[in-house]
Amino acid sequence: MALPTLSNAQPAAPTKASVKASAKAGVVKAAPVRYEAEAATISQGAAESNHAGFSGTGFVNYANVAGGYVEFTVNAPAAGSATLALGFANGTTGNRPLNISVNGAVAARNAAFQPTGAWTTWSSVATTVTLKAGANTVRATAGAAEGGPNLDFIDVTPADGQAGTDYEAESGTVSQGAVESNHAGHSGTGFVNFQAVTGAYVEFTVDSAQAAASKLDFRYANGTTAGRPLDITVNGASVADDLAFPGTGAWTTWKAVSVSAALKAGTNKVRATTAAGDGPNLDKLTVTANGPADTEKPTPPGNLRKDKEPTASTVSLAWDASTDNVRVTGYDIYQHGQLMKQVDENTLAATVENLGPETSYDWTVFARDAAANVSAASNAVTIATLPAPPDNEPPSVPGSLRSTGKTATSVDLAWNASTDNVKVTGYEIHRDGAAAGTADSTSTTIAGLKASTAYKFKVRALDLKGNRSAFSPEITVTTGGSRPGGVPDPGNVSTLAGGVDVGWGLGFLPDGTGVYTERNTFNVYKLTKAGQKTLLGKVPNSQTTGGEGGLMGIEISPSFNTDHYLYFLHTSSDGNRLARMKLENNALSGYTVLLDGMEKSRFHNGGRLRFGPDGKLYASMGDAQSSSQAQNKNSLNGKILRINQDGSIPSDNPFGNAVWSLGHRNPQGLDFDSKGRLWQAEFGNSNMDEVNLIQKGGNYGWPNCEGTAGDCSGYIAPKKTWSTASASPSGLTIINDHVFVATTRGERVYRLRIDSSSNLVEQKTYFQGTYDRLRTVEVDHDGDIWLTTSTDKDGTNGNDRILLIDIVYSGGNPQPGDFKLTSSAFNDNATIPARYTCAGDGTAGQDPSPPLTWGAGSSGARSYAVVLADVANGGNKLHWAIWDIPAAYLALPEGLGSGFDVPGQEGAKQKAMGSGANAQKFFGPCPGGSTHPYTFTLYAVNAATVPGLTSGSSMAQIETAIKNASTANVKLRGNSNAGT
């Protein structure tokens, strides 16, 4: 209540509003139970006490062999997840890993127990496990020949109790009271000030997932010195008579009063009524169920089928009811991973509207319960809409076609909208008389063009029936000349490989060869830039889900030259897994599971992998259509995950398990920018797709917040959103702090620049409608893009492609501080003057080097390197390399001196093709008489000295070492007519 004088206000009419439960609620904290190692079952070890600082009566000293173990019997009051904290000391200088199993199943492989500095210095390592109700066997087994650490104890903490759900008083049914907000400290939008009468009340509508004893917490303020009791009833039955609400000292001081009550499954009415003439100011009710949560999923809906006949814009479905241990509360209708409609538990048929005519749609239905458990998928059915009604009237002609911008490789077009008697559905753009793409708005960018070349463009509109307008008047636009810079513009597009079946993951070996996965065949292929394709094998234990699961992401080990590891994320019979295999002699072997326990579903399996600058492996994992798991820190679903290369959990992960960030729906594309920050693309539900800048421990809001829609307060906002119809972003790669995103449903590639405020700006859209659905976009070691198509909805195998997009590093007016490479002697993509080639003296080798200048940008380089290569016909013939250029140097003068140690360049080293003197001086272009393309590639290197290189290193070894140590690269291109 506000002030005593306000209690005499005239009675207000009762107000009614639906109660909205906030999902951002508190949790019940469980206390840890300690189990001493010396009291457990010990194999190949001994209980000792000769190092101070242990708990209990001692610790276990493992024998110096692999396989020794300590086995604990752990009692759990209920089934569910729990946190194990293992106390240990490790006085050696090396890791002593343990394998943790629960009831015979591996819970953590090679969990790291790093040195603690001394045997008297004790630390702990935490991991999350699943326990059954009653007795559990937890075993910690030494994983290395040196044995394990000294193990002191395990602390077992059951997962936090069920989340308390908030119900704001101002959203309840209020009788003889008023909603006010004139006292600070309340939650929500206000509080209820009761009238000074007996019998005034606030009634909350509370949903309970199951019948359960629950704790009711009433938050209130009472600025008087007298108690103001309330009577509490649940579903009309009294649970507390004259429950005391004593004074809190001020109307801005809020406290809570608790009472226990039994709730039934489903809807409950909780009423708080004034008992003695007046009540406190009532802020909210928090309801927390006691005991284990309902984790049992409903059964899948059965017999999904066509109901009514489809129309040109609707499909009608029916299905058989699901069952649940408590109660089914509703059904979700999906079209190929996109939520289309939700209905209640009593509805077993629905019509989905606003569909396109004459289109086949893939339907699935899922059941859910009040605890947000989601069933497995129903059977899938494909139903096509009918053709649109007869319509012979074409749209009007698009007006005022014009160019709004251009680069050396692209033209921006805009036009005035067309009209139609029914609906304009899009536009078709023609270049030089042939179809070049589509647009769903009145502007587009046509990429893949040549510099300083004239092109003719015209546009026509389309309607629902496929009627096409006449073409707009044709315009001619000449692309710009190529200029030095660091802006990556898409140039010429060619096909590297056809006959691909849903190419999903893509990575590059140190020699530049691509390696890609096929989602549905589980095949792994090697692909050269010349188009040679080699089958390497299959990933064992892979399984499709009839939707988005299967063999997904691939990543190459940062130490591939020595360990030969490839990493995979795939779906198996028991869920999603992260595994690794060795690639040797063009064959895969040694399948090893690194991380499992991620649930799978027909949709929402995530699947991308990326090694970070910290050497850790990051993975995007979907919520498996169980949206509540995205906010559960003990679940690996709906998360960005982070593990060590051996599968162990990094000690600096925020929650003691593999979780790095949470609140994700179906995250996919991952990549790091020049500052080492992680960016991620994410599929939305039915509203917005997004790109996020990932923070350690960050919460991105799903399912409470989708993009910027919903209850988004307190969550990290996305950096970019699109409608789900224009995106569905699967792949993401970053070139010179420009983010490229490949989209499936949107059938286009977006490019955005990361500005100094970490925002995504200057959006460009490329290839819309040109190559169908696009899955994966990755930049190769040469700075070009490989792009996979993904016609995974057409039912035809092997009709996808892998495309090569030549990236031209030019455009715009680059700022002086941009990371770019230029030469005062020639422009980008221009002819390299003869004096810097073998034509200068008629002899190959010992040529003067051209002057080179660059900007540091935001690359964070500790040194620089430059590599010159002949790249004719997709090749990579290495001519010259210079590295260990000090970070303070942003230029190389013309005519560098000879020698492995470059004269006058403060420790820089150089090497060239050829032998003798030619091997230690710039070796200019000398292609043999025909025009050849060459590239000077500038690398920002993350170390002052590239490791492992000597004057005896080969050119290939030098380039590989430079690439492996680089954080960014940019090219200066030139052509040579030199000949010997």
Side-chain angles (χ1 to χ4, degrees):
M1 185 166 290
L3 295 171
T5 54
L6 294 180
S7 63
N8 296 320
Q10 292 296 314
T15 62
K16 295 184 178 181
S18 62
V19 180
K20 293 184 178 179
S22 166
K24 286 182 282 188
V27 292
V28 179
K29 297 293 182 182
V33 176
R34 177 159 295 187
Y35 296 84
E36 296 290 346
E38 67 272 17
T41 301
I42 303 168
S43 174
Q44 294 181 294
E48 297 180 357
S49 58
N50 56 326
H51 297 303
F54 55 81
S55 72
T57 60
F59 55 84
V60 171
N61 179 0
Y62 283 85
N64 293 334
V65 295
Y69 64 81
V70 179
E71 186 173 273
F72 303 83
T73 299
V74 170
N75 292 308
S81 62
T83 299
L84 304 184
L86 293 86
F88 76 100
N90 180 0
T92 73
T93 59
N95 173 32
R96 292 202 167 184
L98 295 177
N99 294 313
I100 312 300
S101 65
V102 176
N103 300 321
V106 176
R109 290 180 174 84
N110 293 317
F113 287 76
Q114 302 290 354
T116 58
W119 293 110
T120 55
T121 301
W122 300 86
S123 184
S124 65
V125 167
T127 187
T128 301
V129 300
T130 299
L131 302 179
K132 64 182 182 181
N136 295 263
T137 300
V138 177
R139 180 178 287 190
T141 304
E146 295 80 9
N150 283 356
L151 190 62
D152 188 16
F153 60 82
I154 61 170
D155 281 343
V156 181
T157 306
D160 293 337
Q162 296 190 57
T165 303
D166 291 344
Y167 298 86
E168 295 292 342
E170 66 271 19
S171 297
T173 300
V174 181
S175 176
Q176 295 180 289
V179 175
E180 298 178 358
S181 58
N182 57 324
H183 295 305
H186 60 76
S187 65
T189 61
F191 54 85
V192 171
N193 179 359
F194 289 99
Q195 294 180 25
V197 296
T198 299
Y201 65 80
V202 176
E203 185 172 89
F204 303 87
T205 300
V206 173
D207 288 321
S208 179
Q210 60 198 71
S214 300
K215 182 167 171 275
L216 310 182
D217 291 299
F218 295 90
R219 189 172 189 260
Y220 77 101
N222 179 0
T224 73
T225 57
R228 293 193 169 186
L230 297 175
D231 293 333
I232 310 300
T233 62
V234 174
N235 300 322
S238 175
V239 297
D241 188 37
D242 289 336
L243 182 64
F245 286 76
T248 59
W251 293 108
T252 55
T253 301
W254 301 86
K255 295 186 177 180
V257 167
S258 301
V259 65
S260 294
L263 300 182
K264 65 181 181 180
T267 301
N268 297 263
K269 299 293 185 180
V270 177
R271 180 178 290 190
T273 306
T274 56
D278 207 345
N281 282 356
L282 192 60
D283 184 28
K284 69 176 179 180
L285 165 65
T286 300
V287 180
T288 307
N290 297 324
D294 172 19
T295 59
E296 185 172 329
K297 297 179 179 181
T299 61
N303 191 26
L304 178 63
R305 58 199 181 273
K306 180 178 70 176
D307 191 18
K308 303 172 185 176
E309 288 299 317
T311 70
S313 61
T314 66
V315 164
S316 296
L317 302 164
W319 57 91
D320 295 343
S322 299
T323 60
D324 187 62
N325 62 316
V326 179
R327 179 171 67 97
V328 172
T329 59
Y331 296 93
D332 299 335
I333 303 167
Y334 276 78
Q335 195 289 117
H336 201 76
Q338 197 76 45
L339 178 65
M340 303 298 287
K341 197 165 189 175
Q342 293 182 307
V343 297
D344 63 30
E345 69 271 29
N346 298 313
T347 301
L348 299 177
T351 298
V352 182
E353 301 169 327
N354 299 316
L355 303 176
E358 210 166 346
T359 304
S360 291
Y361 290 98
D362 174 27
W363 300 101
T364 320
V365 176
F366 300 82
R368 51 186 158 78
D369 64 17
N373 297 309
V374 177
S375 75
S378 71
N379 58 297
V381 297
T382 300
I383 303 175
T385 50
L386 299 181
D391 171 20
N392 296 319
E393 184 176 333
S396 64
V397 178
S400 301
L401 177 62
R402 58 202 180 273
S403 173
T404 57
K406 60 185 179 181
T407 70
T409 62
S410 66
V411 170
D412 298 329
L413 299 173
W415 54 90
N416 294 344
S418 298
T419 59
D420 187 65
N421 62 316
V422 180
K423 180 183 179 182
V424 174
T425 57
Y427 298 89
E428 187 178 270
I429 299 92
H430 281 233
R431 183 190 77 210
D432 293 339
T438 62
D440 47 21
S441 64
T442 56
S443 63
T444 191
T445 298
I446 301 298
L449 308 179
K450 295 180 180 179
S452 303
T453 303
Y455 292 92
K456 294 180 179 180
F457 298 98
K458 55 187 179 181
V459 178
R460 61 183 177 185
L462 296 81
D463 66 13
L464 275 171
K465 193 62 178 176
N467 296 307
R468 290 169 166 79
S469 74
F471 279 109
S472 68
E474 193 169 61
I475 64 171
T476 299
V477 184
T478 300
T479 52
S482 180
R483 290 179 290 180
V487 178
D489 292 321
N492 181 63
V493 181
S494 58
T495 298
L496 281 176
V500 179
D501 186 16
V502 192
W504 212 100
L506 175 64
F508 298 96
L509 300 174
D511 66 0
T513 303
V515 182
Y516 70 90
T517 63
E518 290 186 337
R519 187 184 67 191
N520 300 335
T521 67
F522 322 133
N523 286 332
V524 183
Y525 288 93
K526 187 168 72 172
L527 179 64
T528 69
K529 211 163 185 178
Q532 182 179 355
K533 184 166 67 172
T534 304
L535 177 62
L536 303 177
K538 292 181 182 287
V539 174
N541 304 304
S542 295
Q543 186 181 90
T544 65
T545 64
E548 296 172 348
L551 176 55
M552 297 173 288
I554 185 174
E555 181 64 312
I556 315 300
S557 168
S559 306
F560 180 84
N561 282 333
T562 56
D563 62 32
H564 307 292
Y565 283 134
L566 300 184
Y567 291 78
F568 301 96
L569 206 165
H570 71 96
T571 308
S572 68
S573 59
D574 60 357
N576 289 311
R577 292 180 178 178
L578 206 161
R580 76 181 180 195
M581 300 181 72
K582 279 197 172 185
L583 173 59
E584 295 174 316
N585 300 318
N586 282 342
L588 294 171
S589 64
Y591 174 84
T592 303
V593 177
L594 300 180
L595 184 70
D596 49 16
M598 294 87 80
E599 292 187 17
K600 66 177 180 180
S601 184
R602 187 182 184 206
F603 306 115
H604 304 186
N605 296 291
R608 296 290 174 185
L609 297 174
R610 186 76 74 180
F611 273 106
D614 55 4
K616 310 301 182 185
L617 182 59
Y618 293 76
S620 56
M621 179 50 54
D623 66 7
Q625 294 188 264
S626 182
S627 60
S628 63
Q629 295 305 314
Q631 291 294 322
N632 179 2
K633 296 174 184 176
N634 294 317
S635 167
L636 300 184
N637 286 95
K639 309 295 192 299
I640 303 299
L641 307 176
R642 178 178 181 257
I643 63 172
N644 292 318
Q645 295 180 33
D646 62 1
S648 61
I649 305 303
S651 60
D652 59 339
N653 274 14
F655 309 116
N657 56 8
V659 174
W660 186 249
S661 66
L662 67 155
H664 301 289
R665 178 181 179 269
N666 191 18
Q668 292 201 7
L670 299 171
D671 204 2
F672 290 84
D673 64 16
S674 65
K675 296 181 180 178
R677 302 175 302 179
L678 179 61
W679 294 79
Q680 166 258 339
E682 183 163 336
F683 285 72
N685 191 36
S686 56
N687 193 356
M688 277 182 266
D689 297 323
E690 57 194 63
V691 173
N692 294 300
L693 178 56
I694 300 299
Q695 300 177 21
K696 175 182 179 179
N699 192 331
Y700 292 81
W702 176 255
N704 309 310
C705 178
E706 178 189 354
T708 58
D711 184 7
C712 298
S713 175
Y715 298 122
I716 299 172
K719 292 296 185 178
K720 180 64 182 179
T721 62
W722 300 281
S723 71
T724 54
S726 59
S728 295
S730 180
L732 182 150
T733 195
I734 298 176
I735 306 174
N736 291 353
D737 283 343
H738 286 74
V739 178
F740 287 79
V741 180
T743 67
T744 53
R745 188 177 177 191
E747 298 183 4
R748 67 199 77 175
V749 173
Y750 291 111
R751 190 197 74 188
L752 308 106
R753 181 175 65 85
I754 306 170
D755 70 8
S756 59
S757 299
S758 302
N759 293 317
L760 296 177
V761 297
E762 301 169 7
Q763 175 175 300
K764 288 280 191 179
T765 304
Y766 303 112
F767 311 118
Q768 181 178 338
T770 307
Y771 302 113
D772 201 14
R773 292 162 59 89
L774 303 174
R775 174 69 59 182
T776 299
V777 57
E778 290 289 352
V779 59
D780 67 14
H781 294 336
D782 295 325
D784 296 320
I785 278 179
W786 294 30
L787 179 67
T788 72
T789 69
S790 190
T791 50
D792 51 340
K793 295 173 64 177
D794 65 357
T796 303
N797 296 328
N799 62 342
D800 286 316
R801 293 182 287 169
I802 296 180
L803 305 172
L804 174 66
I805 304 175
D806 182 47
I807 297 297
V808 178
Y809 290 81
S810 61
N813 294 301
Q815 299 300 311
D818 284 349
F819 182 59
K820 61 186 181 183
L821 179 63
T822 64
S823 176
S824 59
F826 61 96
N827 290 330
D828 191 38
N829 270 341
T831 299
I832 301 171
R835 68 178 267 97
Y836 306 116
T837 74
C838 65
D841 59 4
T843 301
Q846 292 289 304
D847 304 305
S849 61
L852 298 172
T853 305
W854 58 91
S858 57
S859 63
R862 296 179 60 193
S863 68
Y864 296 98
V866 177
V867 176
L868 170 65
D870 178 347
V871 294
N873 301 316
N876 187 43
K877 185 178 182 182
L878 302 171
H879 273 236
W880 173 74
I882 180 171
W883 65 98
D884 294 355
I885 305 169
Y889 281 38
L890 298 177
L892 291 173
E894 182 180 73
L896 290 171
S898 179
F900 180 68
D901 294 298
V902 186
Q905 299 304 308
E906 299 294 335
K909 307 291 190 297
Q910 68 178 341
K911 188 74 181 288
M913 63 186 293
S915 59
N918 282 342
Q920 294 189 352
K921 193 176 190 296
F922 179 76
F923 198 118
C926 193
S930 61
T931 300
H932 267 52
Y934 281 81
T935 60
F936 289 85
T937 305
L938 171 72
Y939 292 92
V941 179
N942 60 16
T945 301
V946 177
L949 295 183
T950 68
S951 60
S953 299
S954 69
M955 291 299 296
Q957 290 171 331
I958 291 168
E959 185 192 40
T960 297
I962 290 171
K963 287 179 176 179
N964 288 343
S966 70
T967 60
N969 67 78
V970 64
K971 295 182 183 300
L972 171 64
R973 301 172 186 228
N975 298 304
S976 172
N977 289 322
T980 55

